[in-house]
Protein backbone atom coordinates (compact mmCIF):
# COMPACT_ATOMS: atom_id res chain seq x y z
CA UNK A 1 0.00 0.00 0.00
CA UNK A 2 1.46 3.35 -1.03
CA UNK A 3 1.25 6.40 1.25
CA UNK A 4 0.16 9.71 -0.32
CA UNK A 5 3.06 12.09 -1.02
CA UNK A 6 1.73 14.74 1.40
CA UNK A 7 1.53 12.18 4.21
CA UNK A 8 5.10 11.04 3.54
CA UNK A 9 6.30 14.65 3.62
CA UNK A 10 4.42 15.31 6.88
CA UNK A 11 5.85 12.16 8.46
CA UNK A 12 9.38 13.14 7.40
CA UNK A 13 8.96 16.68 8.78
CA UNK A 14 7.74 15.35 12.14
CA UNK A 15 10.66 12.91 12.27
CA UNK A 16 13.19 15.63 11.54
CA UNK A 17 11.65 17.87 14.19
CA UNK A 18 11.75 15.12 16.78
CA UNK A 19 15.42 14.42 15.95
CA UNK A 20 16.46 18.04 16.45
CA UNK A 21 18.84 18.18 19.44
CA UNK A 22 17.42 19.62 22.64
CA UNK A 23 18.44 23.23 23.12
CA UNK A 24 21.74 23.30 24.98
CA UNK A 25 21.34 24.33 28.61
CA UNK A 26 23.19 27.37 29.90
CA UNK A 27 24.11 28.88 33.20
CA UNK A 28 21.72 31.69 34.08
CA UNK A 29 22.13 33.54 37.35
CA UNK A 30 19.21 35.74 38.27
CA UNK A 31 19.53 37.70 41.46
CA UNK A 32 18.34 40.37 43.84
CA UNK A 33 20.55 42.54 46.04
CA UNK A 34 18.86 43.97 49.14
CA UNK A 35 21.46 46.71 49.70
CA UNK A 36 20.67 49.69 47.42
CA UNK A 37 24.28 50.90 47.62
CA UNK A 38 25.69 47.80 45.92
CA UNK A 39 26.44 48.38 42.22
CA UNK A 40 27.98 45.00 41.30
CA UNK A 41 28.84 41.51 42.51
CA UNK A 42 32.04 39.56 41.92
CA UNK A 43 32.56 35.90 41.04
CA UNK A 44 36.13 35.04 42.02
CA UNK A 45 37.62 31.83 40.60
CA UNK A 46 40.01 29.58 42.55
CA UNK A 47 43.47 31.17 42.96
CA UNK A 48 42.44 34.52 41.50
CA UNK A 49 43.82 37.59 43.25
CA UNK A 50 40.99 39.98 44.08
CA UNK A 51 43.28 43.00 43.72
CA UNK A 52 44.76 42.37 40.29
CA UNK A 53 43.19 39.49 38.37
CA UNK A 54 40.46 40.06 35.81
CA UNK A 55 37.56 39.18 38.11
CA UNK A 56 34.12 38.57 36.63
CA UNK A 57 32.04 41.56 37.75
CA UNK A 58 28.28 41.52 37.19
CA UNK A 59 26.52 44.93 37.31
CA UNK A 60 23.59 45.41 39.69
CA UNK A 61 20.88 47.74 38.36
CA UNK A 62 18.03 48.78 40.63
CA UNK A 63 18.80 45.91 42.93
CA UNK A 64 18.73 43.27 40.18
CA UNK A 65 21.35 41.39 38.20
CA UNK A 66 21.42 38.71 35.53
CA UNK A 67 24.26 36.73 34.01
CA UNK A 68 24.30 34.03 31.32
CA UNK A 69 27.11 31.81 30.09
CA UNK A 70 27.73 28.40 28.57
CA UNK A 71 30.10 26.47 30.80
CA UNK A 72 32.34 23.71 29.53
CA UNK A 73 32.79 22.42 33.09
CA UNK A 74 31.03 23.22 36.35
CA UNK A 75 32.93 25.75 38.46
CA UNK A 76 33.27 26.66 42.13
CA UNK A 77 33.58 30.41 42.73
CA UNK A 78 33.53 32.84 45.63
CA UNK A 79 30.77 35.44 45.51
CA UNK A 80 31.61 38.88 46.93
CA UNK A 81 30.17 42.35 46.70
CA UNK A 82 31.73 44.65 44.11
CA UNK A 83 33.10 47.03 46.75
CA UNK A 84 35.45 44.27 47.92
CA UNK A 85 37.83 45.27 45.09
CA UNK A 86 38.27 48.73 46.56
CA UNK A 87 38.27 47.56 50.17
CA UNK A 88 40.72 44.71 49.60
CA UNK A 89 38.22 42.11 50.87
CA UNK A 90 34.85 41.65 52.51
CA UNK A 91 32.12 39.12 53.16
CA UNK A 92 32.02 36.12 50.86
CA UNK A 93 30.20 32.88 50.14
CA UNK A 94 30.87 29.84 47.95
CA UNK A 95 28.75 29.46 44.83
CA UNK A 96 28.68 26.50 42.47
CA UNK A 97 28.06 27.18 38.79
CA UNK A 98 26.69 24.72 36.26
CA UNK A 99 24.56 24.93 33.13
CA UNK A 100 21.33 25.47 35.01
CA UNK A 101 19.16 28.29 36.35
CA UNK A 102 20.35 29.73 39.67
CA UNK A 103 18.45 32.28 41.70
CA UNK A 104 20.24 34.39 44.34
CA UNK A 105 19.14 36.77 47.06
CA UNK A 106 22.09 38.80 48.39
CA UNK A 107 21.77 40.57 51.73
CA UNK A 108 23.73 43.47 53.16
CA UNK A 109 27.33 42.60 53.95
CA UNK A 110 26.76 42.25 57.69
CA UNK A 111 23.94 39.77 56.96
CA UNK A 112 25.72 37.74 54.30
CA UNK A 113 25.07 34.51 56.17
CA UNK A 114 21.37 34.95 55.31
CA UNK A 115 21.95 34.89 51.54
CA UNK A 116 19.84 32.33 49.69
CA UNK A 117 20.68 30.20 46.65
CA UNK A 118 18.16 28.21 44.63
CA UNK A 119 19.04 25.97 41.70
CA UNK A 120 21.89 23.73 40.70
CA UNK A 121 22.68 20.24 41.97
CA UNK A 122 25.98 21.31 43.53
CA UNK A 123 24.49 24.28 45.39
CA UNK A 124 21.90 21.93 46.80
CA UNK A 125 24.60 19.43 47.76
CA UNK A 126 26.65 22.12 49.52
CA UNK A 127 23.64 23.44 51.42
CA UNK A 128 22.83 19.93 52.60
CA UNK A 129 26.43 19.39 53.72
CA UNK A 130 26.51 22.73 55.55
CA UNK A 131 23.22 22.04 57.31
CA UNK A 132 24.42 18.64 58.54
CA UNK A 133 27.81 20.00 59.59
CA UNK A 134 26.32 22.90 61.56
CA UNK A 135 23.80 20.62 63.27
CA UNK A 136 26.66 18.41 64.39
CA UNK A 137 29.24 21.02 65.49
CA UNK A 138 27.69 24.51 65.66
CA UNK A 139 26.47 24.38 69.28
CA UNK A 140 29.93 23.35 70.42
CA UNK A 141 31.82 25.86 68.28
CA UNK A 142 29.64 28.98 68.66
CA UNK A 143 30.43 29.90 72.31
CA UNK A 144 34.16 29.48 71.69
CA UNK A 145 34.01 31.68 68.60
CA UNK A 146 31.97 34.31 70.49
CA UNK A 147 34.60 34.35 73.25
CA UNK A 148 37.39 34.73 70.71
CA UNK A 149 35.56 37.61 69.02
CA UNK A 150 35.10 39.34 72.37
CA UNK A 151 38.77 38.82 73.18
CA UNK A 152 39.75 40.30 69.83
CA UNK A 153 37.53 43.39 70.29
CA UNK A 154 38.92 43.99 73.77
CA UNK A 155 42.49 43.82 72.49
CA UNK A 156 43.31 40.82 74.69
CA UNK A 157 43.70 38.21 71.97
CA UNK A 158 47.37 38.87 71.11
CA UNK A 159 50.42 38.68 73.33
CA UNK A 160 52.14 41.86 74.53
CA UNK A 161 55.02 41.21 72.12
CA UNK A 162 52.66 40.82 69.18
CA UNK A 163 50.73 43.98 70.05
CA UNK A 164 53.94 46.00 70.11
CA UNK A 165 54.77 44.88 66.57
CA UNK A 166 51.22 45.50 65.35
CA UNK A 167 51.34 49.05 66.74
CA UNK A 168 54.65 49.62 64.96
CA UNK A 169 53.14 48.38 61.70
CA UNK A 170 50.42 51.02 61.90
CA UNK A 171 53.02 53.78 62.09
CA UNK A 172 55.75 52.44 59.80
CA UNK A 173 55.85 53.52 56.14
CA UNK A 174 59.37 52.44 55.16
CA UNK A 175 59.11 49.22 53.14
CA UNK A 176 62.45 47.89 54.39
CA UNK A 177 61.34 48.30 58.00
CA UNK A 178 57.99 46.71 57.22
CA UNK A 179 59.78 43.57 56.01
CA UNK A 180 61.59 43.35 59.36
CA UNK A 181 58.33 43.76 61.28
CA UNK A 182 56.49 41.13 59.23
CA UNK A 183 59.37 38.73 59.80
CA UNK A 184 59.19 39.38 63.54
CA UNK A 185 55.47 38.56 63.46
CA UNK A 186 56.17 35.31 61.65
CA UNK A 187 58.83 34.41 64.22
CA UNK A 188 56.37 34.91 67.07
CA UNK A 189 53.77 32.75 65.32
CA UNK A 190 56.30 29.96 64.71
CA UNK A 191 57.25 29.98 68.41
CA UNK A 192 53.62 30.11 69.53
CA UNK A 193 54.14 33.47 71.23
CA UNK A 194 51.71 35.55 69.16
CA UNK A 195 48.65 35.04 71.42
CA UNK A 196 47.82 35.80 75.02
CA UNK A 197 47.32 32.84 77.39
CA UNK A 198 43.54 33.14 77.09
CA UNK A 199 43.74 33.63 73.32
CA UNK A 200 45.85 30.49 72.99
CA UNK A 201 43.51 28.46 75.21
CA UNK A 202 40.45 29.39 73.18
CA UNK A 203 42.31 28.89 69.88
CA UNK A 204 43.30 25.39 70.99
CA UNK A 205 39.69 24.59 71.86
CA UNK A 206 38.54 25.83 68.46
CA UNK A 207 41.28 23.84 66.71
CA UNK A 208 40.09 20.67 68.46
CA UNK A 209 36.59 21.14 67.07
CA UNK A 210 37.97 21.99 63.64
CA UNK A 211 39.72 18.63 63.62
CA UNK A 212 36.34 16.97 64.00
CA UNK A 213 34.93 19.15 61.22
CA UNK A 214 37.85 18.13 58.96
CA UNK A 215 37.09 14.46 59.59
CA UNK A 216 33.43 15.10 58.74
CA UNK A 217 34.50 16.90 55.55
CA UNK A 218 36.82 14.07 54.60
CA UNK A 219 33.97 11.57 54.89
CA UNK A 220 31.95 13.75 52.52
CA UNK A 221 34.76 13.93 49.95
CA UNK A 222 35.22 10.16 49.94
CA UNK A 223 31.50 9.60 49.42
CA UNK A 224 30.98 12.49 46.96
CA UNK A 225 33.90 13.17 44.57
CA UNK A 226 32.16 16.18 43.04
CA UNK A 227 32.53 19.94 42.61
CA UNK A 228 31.82 20.62 46.29
CA UNK A 229 34.71 18.33 47.21
CA UNK A 230 36.99 20.16 44.76
CA UNK A 231 36.05 23.36 46.61
CA UNK A 232 37.07 21.87 49.96
CA UNK A 233 40.36 20.54 48.61
CA UNK A 234 41.32 23.77 46.82
CA UNK A 235 40.58 25.83 49.94
CA UNK A 236 42.72 23.54 52.09
CA UNK A 237 45.62 23.64 49.64
CA UNK A 238 45.52 27.41 49.47
CA UNK A 239 44.81 28.42 53.06
CA UNK A 240 46.08 25.46 55.12
CA UNK A 241 49.30 24.68 53.23
CA UNK A 242 51.42 24.76 56.40
CA UNK A 243 49.28 22.22 58.26
CA UNK A 244 47.56 20.20 55.55
CA UNK A 245 47.88 16.40 55.53
CA UNK A 246 49.53 16.19 52.12
CA UNK A 247 49.09 12.41 51.82
CA UNK A 248 45.36 12.83 52.36
CA UNK A 249 45.33 15.67 49.82
CA UNK A 250 46.98 13.38 47.27
CA UNK A 251 44.43 10.68 47.99
CA UNK A 252 41.60 13.17 47.47
CA UNK A 253 43.18 14.42 44.24
CA UNK A 254 43.35 10.89 42.85
CA UNK A 255 39.75 10.26 43.83
CA UNK A 256 38.50 13.47 42.23
CA UNK A 257 40.64 13.13 39.09
CA UNK A 258 39.37 9.60 38.54
CA UNK A 259 35.75 10.70 38.93
CA UNK A 260 36.27 13.87 36.82
CA UNK A 261 39.15 13.01 34.46
CA UNK A 262 38.89 16.06 32.20
CA UNK A 263 38.16 18.78 34.71
CA UNK A 264 40.69 21.68 34.62
CA UNK A 265 40.80 21.74 38.43
CA UNK A 266 42.91 18.58 38.30
CA UNK A 267 45.92 20.49 36.96
CA UNK A 268 45.48 23.28 39.52
CA UNK A 269 45.25 20.81 42.41
CA UNK A 270 48.26 18.82 41.21
CA UNK A 271 50.40 21.97 40.88
CA UNK A 272 49.46 23.05 44.39
CA UNK A 273 50.20 19.62 45.88
CA UNK A 274 53.57 19.43 44.13
CA UNK A 275 54.45 22.91 45.39
CA UNK A 276 53.73 21.95 49.00
CA UNK A 277 55.65 18.69 48.63
CA UNK A 278 58.61 19.84 46.59
CA UNK A 279 59.26 23.54 47.12
CA UNK A 280 61.32 22.82 50.22
CA UNK A 281 64.90 23.27 51.28
CA UNK A 282 66.88 20.29 50.03
CA UNK A 283 64.48 19.52 47.17
CA UNK A 284 65.15 20.15 43.45
CA UNK A 285 63.70 23.32 41.94
CA UNK A 286 60.73 23.08 39.57
CA UNK A 287 61.71 24.05 36.04
CA UNK A 288 59.61 26.33 33.84
CA UNK A 289 59.78 28.57 30.79
CA UNK A 290 58.52 32.13 30.48
CA UNK A 291 59.05 34.98 28.01
CA UNK A 292 61.31 37.98 28.40
CA UNK A 293 60.08 41.43 27.41
CA UNK A 294 60.99 40.72 23.78
CA UNK A 295 58.88 37.58 23.71
CA UNK A 296 61.80 35.11 23.76
CA UNK A 297 61.01 31.99 25.80
CA UNK A 298 63.61 31.44 28.53
CA UNK A 299 63.97 28.25 30.57
CA UNK A 300 65.03 28.49 34.21
CA UNK A 301 67.39 25.48 34.09
CA UNK A 302 69.32 27.04 31.20
CA UNK A 303 69.86 30.20 33.23
CA UNK A 304 71.12 28.34 36.29
CA UNK A 305 73.47 26.12 34.27
CA UNK A 306 75.95 25.32 37.04
CA UNK A 307 75.58 28.60 38.95
CA UNK A 308 74.13 29.51 42.31
CA UNK A 309 70.92 31.28 41.37
CA UNK A 310 68.42 33.48 43.11
CA UNK A 311 64.95 32.99 41.62
CA UNK A 312 63.01 36.15 42.37
CA UNK A 313 59.24 35.95 41.82
CA UNK A 314 58.00 39.51 42.27
CA UNK A 315 55.52 42.06 40.93
CA UNK A 316 55.45 45.79 40.28
CA UNK A 317 52.47 46.07 42.63
CA UNK A 318 54.21 44.27 45.52
CA UNK A 319 56.06 46.83 47.65
CA UNK A 320 57.67 44.31 50.05
CA UNK A 321 58.89 42.25 47.07
CA UNK A 322 60.58 45.27 45.51
CA UNK A 323 62.19 46.35 48.78
CA UNK A 324 63.63 42.89 49.33
CA UNK A 325 64.92 42.62 45.76
CA UNK A 326 66.75 45.95 46.12
CA UNK A 327 68.75 44.47 49.01
CA UNK A 328 70.16 41.85 46.60
CA UNK A 329 71.75 44.40 44.25
CA UNK A 330 75.11 44.65 46.09
CA UNK A 331 75.35 40.85 46.21
CA UNK A 332 74.77 40.57 42.49
CA UNK A 333 77.50 43.11 41.73
CA UNK A 334 79.94 41.38 44.08
CA UNK A 335 79.37 37.78 42.99
CA UNK A 336 77.99 37.91 39.43
CA UNK A 337 81.41 37.06 37.97
CA UNK A 338 82.11 34.29 40.47
CA UNK A 339 79.22 31.96 39.64
CA UNK A 340 76.14 33.73 41.00
CA UNK A 341 73.12 34.91 39.04
CA UNK A 342 69.64 36.31 39.64
CA UNK A 343 66.60 35.57 37.49
CA UNK A 344 63.55 37.71 38.08
CA UNK A 345 60.00 36.84 37.03
CA UNK A 346 57.44 39.64 37.25
CA UNK A 347 53.86 38.55 37.86
CA UNK A 348 51.86 41.09 35.88
CA UNK A 349 48.30 41.41 34.66
CA UNK A 350 46.77 42.43 31.31
CA UNK A 351 49.96 43.99 29.87
CA UNK A 352 53.62 44.80 30.57
CA UNK A 353 53.37 48.61 30.42
CA UNK A 354 53.91 49.06 34.14
CA UNK A 355 56.79 46.58 34.17
CA UNK A 356 58.62 48.30 31.31
CA UNK A 357 58.42 51.70 33.01
CA UNK A 358 59.51 50.21 36.33
CA UNK A 359 62.59 48.48 34.92
CA UNK A 360 63.58 51.60 32.98
CA UNK A 361 63.66 53.43 36.30
CA UNK A 362 65.19 50.74 38.53
CA UNK A 363 67.67 49.40 35.94
CA UNK A 364 68.00 46.00 37.58
CA UNK A 365 70.97 44.42 35.78
CA UNK A 366 69.78 40.82 35.65
CA UNK A 367 67.31 39.17 33.31
CA UNK A 368 63.64 39.59 34.11
CA UNK A 369 60.93 37.41 32.61
CA UNK A 370 57.17 37.96 32.57
CA UNK A 371 54.38 35.83 34.01
CA UNK A 372 51.40 37.55 32.40
CA UNK A 373 47.94 36.65 33.73
CA UNK A 374 49.34 33.46 35.33
CA UNK A 375 49.70 31.87 31.90
CA UNK A 376 52.52 29.50 32.95
CA UNK A 377 51.17 28.79 36.49
CA UNK A 378 54.60 29.67 37.96
CA UNK A 379 53.21 31.18 41.19
CA UNK A 380 51.05 28.07 41.57
CA UNK A 381 53.99 25.72 41.01
CA UNK A 382 56.07 27.54 43.63
CA UNK A 383 53.29 27.72 46.22
CA UNK A 384 53.02 31.52 46.33
CA UNK A 385 49.58 31.91 44.76
CA UNK A 386 47.59 34.80 46.16
CA UNK A 387 50.70 36.83 47.00
CA UNK A 388 53.22 39.07 45.34
CA UNK A 389 55.84 36.36 45.02
CA UNK A 390 58.78 34.75 46.78
CA UNK A 391 62.57 34.33 46.62
CA UNK A 392 64.33 30.97 46.26
CA UNK A 393 68.08 30.37 46.48
CA UNK A 394 69.17 27.43 44.30
CA UNK A 395 72.62 25.81 44.21
CA UNK A 396 74.72 24.66 41.23
CA UNK A 397 73.04 21.24 41.20
CA UNK A 398 69.53 22.68 41.24
CA UNK A 399 68.78 22.08 44.94
CA UNK A 400 66.78 24.67 46.87
CA UNK A 401 69.04 26.11 49.57
CA UNK A 402 66.67 28.69 51.07
CA UNK A 403 63.15 30.11 50.79
CA UNK A 404 62.69 33.87 51.15
CA UNK A 405 66.22 34.40 52.53
CA UNK A 406 67.43 37.81 53.65
CA UNK A 407 70.35 39.46 51.85
CA UNK A 408 72.53 38.57 54.84
CA UNK A 409 71.61 34.88 54.56
CA UNK A 410 72.31 34.88 50.82
CA UNK A 411 75.66 36.60 51.38
CA UNK A 412 76.65 33.95 53.93
CA UNK A 413 75.97 31.16 51.41
CA UNK A 414 77.83 32.97 48.63
CA UNK A 415 80.81 33.73 50.85
CA UNK A 416 81.07 30.08 51.91
CA UNK A 417 80.69 28.69 48.40
CA UNK A 418 82.09 31.37 46.12
CA UNK A 419 84.17 33.63 48.33
CA UNK A 420 87.50 32.15 47.28
CA UNK A 421 86.61 31.64 43.64
CA UNK A 422 88.42 33.58 40.96
CA UNK A 423 86.46 35.97 38.79
CA UNK A 424 85.07 34.06 35.81
Amino acid sequence: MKLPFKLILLTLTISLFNCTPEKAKMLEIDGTVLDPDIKSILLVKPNQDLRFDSILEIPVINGRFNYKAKLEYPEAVTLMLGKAKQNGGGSFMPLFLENDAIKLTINKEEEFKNNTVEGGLFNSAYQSYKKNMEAKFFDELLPIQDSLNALWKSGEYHSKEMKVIMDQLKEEENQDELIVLYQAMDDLREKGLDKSAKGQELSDQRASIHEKVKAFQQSYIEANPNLVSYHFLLDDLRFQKETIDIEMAEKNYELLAQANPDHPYNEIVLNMINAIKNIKIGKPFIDFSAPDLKGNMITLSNQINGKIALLDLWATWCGPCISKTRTMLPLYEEYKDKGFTILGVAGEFKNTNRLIKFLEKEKWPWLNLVELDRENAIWQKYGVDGGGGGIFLIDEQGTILAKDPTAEEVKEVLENRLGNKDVI
Side-chain angles (χ1 to χ4, degrees):
M1 177 180 174
K2 293 184 178 181
L3 291 173
F5 175 75
K6 289 185 178 180
L7 183 57
I8 294 174
L9 183 61
L10 177 62
T11 303
L12 181 59
T13 302
I14 293 173
S15 299
L16 288 172
F17 178 80
N18 289 338
C19 291
T20 301
E22 183 183 349
K23 185 179 179 180
K25 296 187 71 175
M26 294 183 66
L27 164 69
E28 181 172 5
I29 304 174
D30 190 63
T32 301
V33 178
L34 301 182
D35 185 345
D37 295 330
I38 298 303
K39 304 304 180 186
S40 66
I41 63 166
L42 309 174
L43 300 184
V44 187
K45 296 184 178 183
N47 294 326
Q48 281 192 317
D49 190 302
L50 181 65
R51 299 163 298 173
F52 303 103
D53 278 335
S54 298
I55 307 295
L56 175 59
E57 186 166 7
I58 303 172
V60 175
I61 301 172
N62 297 324
R64 300 281 302 165
F65 63 91
N66 186 271
Y67 174 75
K68 296 180 181 179
K70 181 74 174 70
L71 302 180
E72 187 174 358
Y73 299 96
E75 299 178 16
V77 299
T78 299
L79 185 147
M80 306 182 77
L81 300 176
K83 63 182 181 179
K85 289 176 72 174
Q86 290 74 41
N87 297 341
S91 298
F92 60 91
M93 60 171 281
L95 183 66
F96 301 92
L97 309 182
E98 54 192 295
N99 288 320
D100 202 348
I102 297 174
K103 185 176 180 180
L104 299 177
T105 301
I106 309 299
N107 290 272
K108 293 183 178 181
E109 187 155 29
E110 57 271 22
E111 300 172 2
F112 233 56
K113 64 181 180 180
N114 297 323
N115 292 350
T116 62
V117 183
E118 299 176 24
L121 292 174
F122 298 120
N123 287 310
S124 178
Y126 177 75
Q127 290 163 15
S128 177
Y129 166 86
K130 186 179 178 184
K131 181 179 179 181
N132 293 334
M133 184 270 290
E134 289 179 349
K136 195 172 182 67
F137 302 107
F138 201 65
D139 289 343
E140 188 179 2
L141 184 61
L142 184 60
I144 297 173
Q145 190 60 55
D146 286 344
S147 297
L148 279 167
N149 291 341
L151 210 61
W152 184 281
K153 289 180 181 179
S154 68
E156 299 177 80
Y157 176 77
H158 291 108
S159 65
K160 291 180 181 179
E161 297 87 347
M162 192 68 163
K163 284 193 282 188
V164 168
I165 298 173
M166 292 169 69
D167 288 340
Q168 291 175 327
L169 277 171
K170 294 176 184 177
E171 303 296 329
E172 187 59 63
E173 296 181 358
N174 184 285
Q175 288 290 347
D176 294 335
E177 292 300 322
L178 285 172
I179 291 173
V180 174
L181 291 173
Y182 284 128
Q183 184 61 55
M185 291 177 74
D186 288 341
D187 291 342
L188 287 177
R189 291 190 185 101
E190 288 178 9
K191 296 173 182 176
L193 301 175
D194 58 311
K195 304 179 188 70
S196 65
K198 187 61 177 176
Q200 189 64 58
E201 179 187 350
L202 289 169
S203 294
D204 289 343
Q205 292 176 14
R206 181 177 61 180
S208 177
I209 299 172
H210 281 171
E211 286 299 313
K212 300 176 187 177
V213 174
K214 292 300 296 180
F216 183 78
Q217 177 182 292
Q218 181 60 34
S219 297
Y220 179 88
I221 293 173
E222 292 174 1
N224 305 275
N226 58 23
L227 187 66
V228 177
S229 295
Y230 270 122
H231 163 70
F232 292 145
L233 180 55
L234 284 164
D235 265 12
D236 286 348
L237 288 168
R238 185 172 186 184
F239 301 113
Q240 309 295 330
K241 62 179 68 176
E242 300 299 328
T243 58
I244 193 171
D245 183 338
I246 198 63
E247 291 185 1
M248 185 64 72
E250 287 183 296
K251 174 184 173 183
N252 290 338
Y253 160 73
E254 292 171 1
L255 179 68
L256 286 164
Q258 184 175 1
N260 312 275
D262 299 320
H263 203 288
Y265 286 176
N266 292 331
E267 182 180 359
I268 295 175
V269 169
L270 188 58
N271 282 340
M272 295 172 77
I273 287 174
N274 286 337
I276 293 171
K277 285 180 61 179
N278 298 321
I279 301 301
K280 293 181 178 180
I281 294 172
K283 292 273 193 174
F285 73 94
I286 294 178
D287 207 4
F288 62 81
S289 296
D292 62 17
L293 281 169
K294 295 179 180 179
N296 303 310
M297 291 302 293
I298 308 295
T299 302
L300 173 60
S301 55
N302 292 338
Q303 294 302 303
I304 293 177
N305 195 25
K307 296 180 180 180
I308 295 179
L310 195 73
L311 172 61
D312 181 18
L313 306 182
W314 65 287
T316 56
W317 44 266
C318 178
C321 302
I322 294 167
S323 294
K324 194 162 188 177
T325 299
R326 286 172 178 157
T327 67
M328 304 297 172
L329 273 163
L331 298 178
Y332 181 78
E333 295 299 336
E334 184 176 354
Y335 291 96
K336 66 180 180 180
D337 296 324
K338 293 185 177 183
F340 173 61
T341 190
I342 297 178
L343 178 69
V345 185
E348 299 298 295
F349 297 94
K350 297 181 181 178
N351 58 60
T352 59
N353 296 344
R354 185 170 174 171
L355 174 61
I356 292 169
K357 290 180 181 178
F358 178 89
L359 291 176
E360 285 175 351
K361 178 183 176 183
E362 291 285 322
K363 301 189 185 308
W364 287 348
W366 52 78
L367 178 64
N368 270 281
L369 309 181
V370 186
E371 171 72 334
L372 194 61
D373 296 324
R374 306 182 189 275
E375 60 185 346
N376 299 296
I378 296 171
W379 264 238
Q380 204 175 89
K381 292 173 182 176
Y382 273 79
V384 291
D385 246 1
I391 291 179
F392 305 87
L393 186 63
I394 303 166
D395 73 6
E396 302 93 329
Q397 286 74 46
T399 301
I400 297 174
L401 297 175
K403 293 172 62 178
D404 287 319
T406 63
E408 291 75 16
E409 290 168 337
V410 174
K411 182 174 178 61
E412 184 178 353
V413 171
L414 296 178
E415 187 63 31
N416 291 334
R417 291 179 177 242
L418 305 177
N420 297 322
K421 276 195 174 184
D422 294 329
V423 174
I424 298 173

